[in-house]
Amino acid sequence: MTELSKSGAAVGEPVKDSPAPSAFLEVRDLKVHFPTDDGLVKSVDGLSFTLEKGKTLGIVGESGSGKSVTSLGIMGLHTTGQYGKRKAQISGEIWLDGTELLTADPDHVRKLRGREMAMIFQDPLSALHPYYTIGQQIVEAYRIHHKVDKKTARRRAVEMLDRVGIPQPDKRVDSYPHEFSGGMRQRAMIAMSLVNNPELLIADEPTTALDVTVQAQILDLIRDLQKEFGSAVIVITHDLGVVAELSDDILVMYGGRCIERGPAEKVFYEPKHPYTWGLLGSMPRLDREQTERLIPVKGSPPSLINLPTGCAFNPRCAYADVPKDNVTRTVRPELAQVGGRHWAACHMTQEQRERIWTEEIAPKL
Ligand SMILES: Nc1ncnc2c1ncn2[C@@H]1O[C@H](COP(=O)(O)OP(=O)(O)OP(=O)(O)O)[C@@H](O)[C@H]1O
Ligand code: SF4
Ligand SMILES: [Mg+2]
C-alpha cells in the first residue's frame, strides 16, 4: 500500500505515466503557456498534485505565481479572461474522477463544468452577468444540468441563497448583482457554484475584497458546505494563514511551479523552503502590532518569460550562497522529499535547512 492511500491524504507524489489514477483529481505535469509579443509566458510550468474527495488543498503564492491560471486550466477556461482569447498552450494531464480532461471532448468538459466541478472566481462581478437577476442566473445554472421547470429551479435558487446566508432570500432572488454588497455578491456566486452539488470546488481568492468578518464567514461557509456535500475543494489565496486553517494540504507556488507541498501542519509549522519562510514572515498576525505586521518577501516576483537560471528564487533568497559551488544559480532544484509526504525544491541539505530554521527563522516568527 502506498503512503498516499494509507493516509487517505490529499496531496501525494503522482505516479508518472500510470494511466489509471486512483485519486479523485490528479494533475500531472500541467503546463499553461501564453505566446505574447514579448515571448512565451510560462504561467504554469510543470505542476503536479492529487486531491481526494472531502479534502481541501490550499494553493498559496504571490501575485502572478500562476494560481488562477492553474484553476482556469483545470476548469478548461484558460483561454478566457483578462487577456482575451489569445491561444494558450496547455499540456500535461488532468484526471477528474477517471476522465482525462485535456483530451476529453470539449462538450463533455462543458457538461462537467458546473455539474461536477465549479469555481468561485476571484472577482464576482466578472462571473455574474449585470443584466440578469441573481435568481435568473442561478436558475439558468441549475437548469443546464437538471430537467426541471422554472418554478422548481427558482425554489432551488431561493434555497441556495438561504443556505449561503443571504437574508430574505425569497426577495433577494430578484435583485441584480449591483444591488448586492461585495460580500453578498460573493455569497451569491458561491450559491451559484454549489447549486449542482459539484464534487470539485475551486475557490480562487474567495475573500480578498472583503472585510475580515465577512472573510471569516465565507470561509466557514465553504467549510460547512464541503462537510455537507463531501466535495474536494481547492482554496487559492496569497495568505498562508487562511490556507493553513482551512486545508488538509498546502501547495506553495513560485514562478508557475510548485516549490513546496505537504500536509498543512508540516508546511505551516515546519516549512522547508526559504520562500515559504518568507511567506510566513509576511503573514498578518493578530498577536503582532500593526506596524510590524507585513514584512513582504524582498524583491519582486520573477519574469515568467525569463525565469532566473538555476533556482528561480535565487535573486531573492538570503541563503542562495549556502549550497556549495554556486549551484543555486546554475541548476534548477527538483522537488525532493523532505519528510513523509512533504516535498521542497531547494538545494540546501537537510542539516543546513534545520540549522537556519531553528537559529534564524523560527525565533523571529
Ligand atoms: N492570457 C494570458 N496571456 C498572457 N499572460 C497571462 C495570461 N493569463 C495570465 N497571464 C500571466 O500569467 C501569470 C500568472 O497569472 P495568474 O493570474 O495565474 O496569477 P495569480 O497567482 O492568480 O496572481 P494573483 O494573486 O494576483 O491573482 C501572470 O504573470 C499573468 O500576467
Ligand atoms: S535553492 Fe538556493 S536560492 Fe533556491 S531557495 Fe534553496 S537556498 Fe534559496
Ligand atoms: Mg489569481
Side-chain angles (χ1 to χ4, degrees), residues 32-36 41-44 61-72 78-88 122 204-205 236-238 253 302 304:
V32 188
H33 296 171
F34 298 98
T36 69
V41 180
K42 297 181 177 174
S43 300
V44 180
E62 286 169 308
S63 190
S65 56
K67 306 181 298 295
S68 292
V69 171
T70 299
S71 36
L72 292 170
H78 49 282
T79 48
T80 59
Q82 56 175 322
Y83 298 90
K85 303 214 182 318
R86 207 181 266 149
K87 196 127 189 76
Q122 204 161 357
D204 189 359
E205 306 259 14
I236 294 179
T237 162
H238 51 258
M253 281 187 84
L304 296 172

Side-chain angles (χ1 to χ4, degrees), residues 105-117 144-145:
D105 176 5
D107 276 343
H108 182 61
V109 177
R110 207 167 302 130
K111 277 193 198 126
L112 291 181
R113 202 160 49 226
R115 193 183 63 201
E116 266 204 58
M117 54 181 181
I144 291 178
H145 302 292

